[in-house]
């Protein structure tokens, strides 16, 4: 049997939501509370869902969205307010208390896996429908006019089953079925890749400083971000293609201490690394975020490099926008908000991408005039982990940016507004 085709309809819902990450679960919770019949189809097993450590920095607007829908209990109780970042360079270090700059807002640090667990508990507690170990294979008939869209789903060893709905919300991330199901040419994909890669590390160790740490070093960038009192995230810029396991924990701590200038500013709290993953700091966005009755939100809509901690925040914002638009269409027969969803969401995505590209350029030596839609050619240096300069390489342009950020109140206000804004 064609694995993408499935016969009789196995289940129906007004809205079929693919993926139970922040986007899918916020969407599901808002729709369910509004009395919209929806089902979430999630590829992972239930036990695996709440264990994926990723984001941690939630913007004030994200917290407001979660407050509005009564979804913020856990983060209000256990999240930690955060308001400071520290830049370390060969000229010394400086701090920005960003919550007292710009629009006067900070972050709440609350690990993404806890947020996902809270959202799931709330959704199921309220009677929301979800199927685990249900991998969407394809969305069919999204632009078929009178034929309702459906999703073929693999749920085990048997033949795929089919769910049918009025709308499908693709919240299944970058490699999910929603993106894959859009025919070539139906939407545009804009991609930015400045050739920078990071080794992301999760350390079983308390934070080493009471601030986000950004260290700019000739061997490459290093970063520090608190997660909980026992767990801290670190980043090390690495050459593209680096294997995540090619160095011991002790070697990685030595490299982190070197780049973060521990000799000048104090040692790091060491511990076992619980997670190591290399990822490329690329960003992309589809346009429009819709194909017929299939709508995209979260990482399925746009991928943001974690350089500016925006991905989960955008996912929550888009989920609320999409929920309101679907509700208006289903209950009031007005599709205006659905028709405007893509343009509204893209305004926020573009703003976030602009800032995240600015952060990449601030923290790394990257070409100044990189093409906007393709990979910048870089080669691997053996003098550290950063990529070797391309012909356009202009590291000197980065220093004035850092100096301006250190000295100009106007620049600091702009930074603070962008840093916490979505
Ligand atoms: P998710 O969280 O990836 O959830 C998608 C869900 O869909 C499921 N799925 C499928 N289900 C059914 N059928 C299929 N075919 C499916 N394919 C996939 C998956 O199992 C999963 O449960 O997407 P969502 O909801 O759009 O949320 C996006 C965020 O997860 C992401 O943007 C952030 O984690 C990005 N990010 C950060 N964002 C922030 O706002 N602040 C941060 O501090 C921050 N730190 C980070 C980050 C991302 C990182 N990684 C992944 C590189 C730090 C790191 C290390």
């Amino acid at each position: 049997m064609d694995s993408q085709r499935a016969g009789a309809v196995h289940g129906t819902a007004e809205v079929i939501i693919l993926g139970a990450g922040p986007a899918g679960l916020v969407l599901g919770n808002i729709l369910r509370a509004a009395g919209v019949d929806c089902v979430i189809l999630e590829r992972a097993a239930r036990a695996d869902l709440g264990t994926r450590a990723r984001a941690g920095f939630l913007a004030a607007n994200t917290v407001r969205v979660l407050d509005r829908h009564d979804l913020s209990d856990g983060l209000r109780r256990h999240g930690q307010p955060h308001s400071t970042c520290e830049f370390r360079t060969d000229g010394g270090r400086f701090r920005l208390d960003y919550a007292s700059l710009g629009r006067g807002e900070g972050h709440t640090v609350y690990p993404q896996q806890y947020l996902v667990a809270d959202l799931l508990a709330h959704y199921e507690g309220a009677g929301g429908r979800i199927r685990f170990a249900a991998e969407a294979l394809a969305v069919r008939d999204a632009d078929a006019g009178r034929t309702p869209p459906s999703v073929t789903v693999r749920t085990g060893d048997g033949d795929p089953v089919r769910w049918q709905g009025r709308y499908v919300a693709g919240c299944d991330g970058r490699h999910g079925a929603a993106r894959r199901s859009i025919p070539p040419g139906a939407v545009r994909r804009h991609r930015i890749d400045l050739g920078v890669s990071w080794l992301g590390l999760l350390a079983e160790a308390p934070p080493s400083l009471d601030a986000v740490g950004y260290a700019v070093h000739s061997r490459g960038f290093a970063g520090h971000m608190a997660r909980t009192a026992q767990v801290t995230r670190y980043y090390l810029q690495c050459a593209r293609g680096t294997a995540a396991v090619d160095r011991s924990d002790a070697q990685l701590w030595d490299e982190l201490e070197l780049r973060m200038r521990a000799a000048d500013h104090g040692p790091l709290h060491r511990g076992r690394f619980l997670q190591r993953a290399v990822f490329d700091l690329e960003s992309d966005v589809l346009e429009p975020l819709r194909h017929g009755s299939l709508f995209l939100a979260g990482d399925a809509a746009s991928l943001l490099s974690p350089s500016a901690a925006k991905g989960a925040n955008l996912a929550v914002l888009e989920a609320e926008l999409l929920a309101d638009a679907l509700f208006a269409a289903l209950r009031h027969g007005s599709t205006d908000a659905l028709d405007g969803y893509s343009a509204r969401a893209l305004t926020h995505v573009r703003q976030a991408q602009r800032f995240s590209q600015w952060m990449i350029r601030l923290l790394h030596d990257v070409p100044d005039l990189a093409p906007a839609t393709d990979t910048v050619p870089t080669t691997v240096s053996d003098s550290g982990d950063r990529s070797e300069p391309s012909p356009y390489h202009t590291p000197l342009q980065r220093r004035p940016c850092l100096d301006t950020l250190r000295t100009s109140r106007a620049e600091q206000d702009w930074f603070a507004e962008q840093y916490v804004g979505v």
Side-chain angles (χ1 to χ4, degrees):
M1 170 175 190
D2 175 358
S3 70
Q4 307 290 300
R5 277 277 171 209
V9 172
H10 169 83
T12 61
E14 288 181 292
V15 181
I16 301 172
I17 300 170
L18 309 184
L25 282 166
V26 169
L27 178 63
N29 271 293
I30 301 176
L31 288 178
R32 198 222 48 76
V36 173
D37 171 37
C38 55
V39 65
I40 301 179
L41 306 176
E42 165 58 46
R43 182 181 58 189
R46 174 192 291 274
D48 296 335
L49 194 67
T51 60
R52 283 180 297 204
R54 296 173 87 183
F57 274 60
L58 300 180
N61 189 58
T62 305
V63 176
R64 280 194 289 273
V65 172
L66 297 169
D67 277 344
R68 257 201 298 280
H69 302 285
D70 208 13
L71 299 170
S72 58
D73 263 19
L75 77 91
R76 287 280 178 205
R77 259 183 289 132
H78 305 294
Q80 294 296 319
H82 197 282
S83 59
T84 314
C85 50
E86 178 173 303
F87 292 87
R88 297 182 176 183
T89 69
D90 49 14
R93 64 175 165 175
F94 66 93
R95 284 190 160 216
L96 291 183
D97 179 11
Y98 57 85
S100 65
L101 296 159
R103 65 180 103 192
E105 294 181 333
H107 286 109
T108 301
V109 180
Y110 192 59
Q112 179 169 327
Q113 68 273 29
Y114 297 175
L115 177 66
V116 165
D118 293 352
L119 293 170
L120 176 62
H122 196 275
Y123 180 73
E124 290 197 297
R129 286 196 290 163
I130 182 164
R131 300 288 182 271
F132 292 99
E135 181 185 8
L137 298 174
V139 180
R140 312 203 69 89
D141 299 324
D143 63 344
R146 286 168 183 275
T147 310
S150 64
V151 182
T152 45
V153 184
R154 179 163 42 216
T155 55
D157 293 337
D159 288 339
V161 300
R162 189 155 69 93
W163 280 82
Q164 197 169 66
R166 296 272 302 274
Y167 295 102
V168 179
C171 304
D172 51 349
R174 181 191 185 191
H175 301 293
R179 271 194 179 207
R180 273 201 316 269
S181 301
I182 299 176
V187 300
R188 283 190 299 276
R189 176 176 177 236
H190 307 284
R191 173 167 170 266
I192 310 167
D193 183 354
L194 298 178
V196 176
S197 301
W198 282 359
L199 171 59
L201 300 160
L202 203 61
E204 193 176 36
S208 300
L209 54 158
D210 58 350
V212 178
Y214 294 116
V216 174
H217 196 280
S218 58
R219 290 180 65 83
F221 165 77
H224 161 284
M225 284 190 182
R227 282 296 185 256
T228 67
Q230 299 84 29
V231 173
T232 308
R233 192 170 266 296
Y234 288 91
Y235 295 112
L236 271 178
Q237 185 184 355
C238 61
R240 192 146 281 193
T242 299
V245 290
D246 72 351
R247 278 184 276 182
S248 68
D249 280 13
Q251 286 172 316
L252 291 171
W253 281 115
D254 289 347
E255 188 70 29
L256 280 166
E257 290 211 321
L258 183 71
R259 295 189 195 181
M260 296 202 68
R261 299 176 176 83
D264 299 330
H265 307 305
L268 304 177
H269 295 305
R270 295 191 176 207
R272 186 168 62 102
F273 288 119
L274 304 168
Q275 188 194 74
R276 299 167 173 221
V278 172
F279 48 88
D280 302 335
L281 266 61
E282 62 171 321
S283 301
D284 76 1
V285 60
L286 301 191
E287 184 182 11
L289 302 177
R290 166 184 201 171
H291 178 60
S293 50
L294 167 65
F295 291 83
L296 305 176
D299 281 7
S302 66
L303 180 76
L304 268 104
S305 81
S307 56
K310 299 283 188 213
N313 290 291
L314 272 176
V316 170
L317 178 94
E318 289 162 1
E320 188 191 45
L321 285 178
L322 184 56
D324 290 348
L326 287 167
F327 180 79
L330 287 163
R331 291 294 174 269
H332 302 301
S334 164
T335 57
D336 290 354
L338 265 187
D339 294 339
Y341 165 73
S342 175
R344 283 190 72 187
L346 283 172
T347 309
H348 299 284
V349 171
R350 292 219 175 86
Q351 187 84 350
Q353 285 194 331
R354 192 171 137 251
F355 182 65
S356 108
Q357 295 303 311
W358 182 87
M359 282 291 278
I360 293 175
R361 289 169 195 274
L362 183 78
L363 301 172
H364 309 83
D365 287 348
V366 291
D368 194 47
L369 294 171
T373 53
D374 212 346
T375 309
V376 175
T378 51
T379 56
V380 174
S381 157
D382 60 5
S383 59
D385 280 337
R386 66 185 173 78
S387 298
E388 202 53 30
S390 83
Y392 299 111
H393 180 73
T394 53
L396 290 179
Q397 297 201 357
R398 198 181 54 192
R399 281 179 203 129
C401 282
L402 281 160
D403 280 347
T404 312
L405 191 57
R406 182 169 55 80
T407 54
S408 156
R409 173 67 198 243
E411 185 85 349
Q412 292 171 0
D413 282 328
W414 175 82
F415 171 83
E417 195 164 318
Q418 299 294 317
Y419 195 56
V420 292
V422 267

